[in-house]
Amino acid sequence: MKTRDVVLLTTSFAVVLFMFVYTFWHWHAMGDLVPGHISHVGEVTRWAAKPFIFFLPGMALFLLAIVIPFYYFPQGIAIPLNMTFEEKKQHQDLMGTYLFTGLLGIQVMILLFHLEAVRLAAGEIDQGAATLPAILTFLAVMIGSTIVTVIKVKKRLCGIRTVAKDN
């Protein structure tokens, strides 16, 4: 595993751990009901039982568990199915970083939603004081960077295929 991938994976673990620690830290300040859904204007449209607050950290942990196997078996997402050993190694090198970068981006977005839900449940912010513009900006950056990365991945995979055919 490359150093960059280790850093991305470690950071993803840290984000998930932070969500759980932050939730436990604020547990005593929360009421019996927590936000189950927050509208686009920051108002709670549905309330849920207190343990529901662990849904987003649980989802982030689940995504982490799902992505790790694809690092070692990138052909599960693969574009070319019949690859030589060298192509598989290069594909792993390329897709692994892409997977972990995407995972971290999604987890940071989940973290932003989760922090808002915990702060609402603990009474630290009022409804309507949502961080929606920040979340939408982050989402736009994530979508843009994903599009750029997908283009790079396709170009590099075409280059891998061309070199393999020339040999």
Side-chain angles (χ1 to χ4, degrees):
M1 194 179 277
K2 296 183 306 188
T3 304
R4 177 177 52 197
D5 295 345
V6 170
V7 168
L8 288 168
L9 185 59
T10 304
T11 306
S12 290
F13 273 117
V15 167
V16 171
L17 181 63
F18 176 77
M19 280 192 272
F20 280 104
V21 168
Y22 189 81
T23 304
F24 283 120
W25 187 264
H26 287 82
W27 186 260
H28 68 282
M30 292 184 222
D32 292 336
L33 295 176
V34 296
H37 181 266
I38 301 171
S39 73
H40 65 284
V41 293
E43 294 179 1
V44 178
T45 57
R46 188 179 74 236
W47 293 91
K50 195 173 185 177
F52 185 77
I53 202 74
F54 289 105
F55 175 75
L56 289 176
M59 186 186 336
L61 186 61
F62 175 74
L63 288 173
L64 186 61
I66 292 295
V67 166
I68 290 173
F70 286 112
Y71 178 82
Y72 293 102
F73 302 102
Q75 52 274 32
I77 329 166
I79 297 166
L81 296 176
N82 298 321
M83 295 186 279
T84 65
F85 179 75
E86 181 57 33
E87 287 174 324
K88 287 180 183 178
K89 294 305 287 178
Q90 289 184 28
H91 195 216
Q92 181 180 10
D93 176 54
L94 180 64
M95 292 303 290
T97 301
Y98 171 69
L99 280 173
F100 288 155
T101 303
L103 171 69
L104 183 59
I106 290 168
Q107 286 182 325
V108 168
M109 188 173 66
I110 290 171
L111 173 67
L112 292 173
F113 284 120
H114 183 66
L115 292 177
E116 183 176 341
V118 169
R119 292 176 62 211
L120 275 167
E124 292 179 8
I125 59 173
D126 295 328
Q127 289 190 46
T131 57
L132 187 65
I135 292 170
L136 290 177
T137 302
F138 178 79
L139 187 58
V141 169
M142 278 300 301
I143 291 170
S145 66
T146 299
I147 291 169
V148 169
T149 304
V150 167
I151 292 169
K152 287 180 184 178
V153 166
K154 285 186 175 187
K155 284 182 181 178
R156 186 160 168 206
L157 286 175
C158 287
I160 291 170
R161 273 300 205 206
T162 303
V163 169
K165 285 181 183 177
D166 291 344
N167 292 334

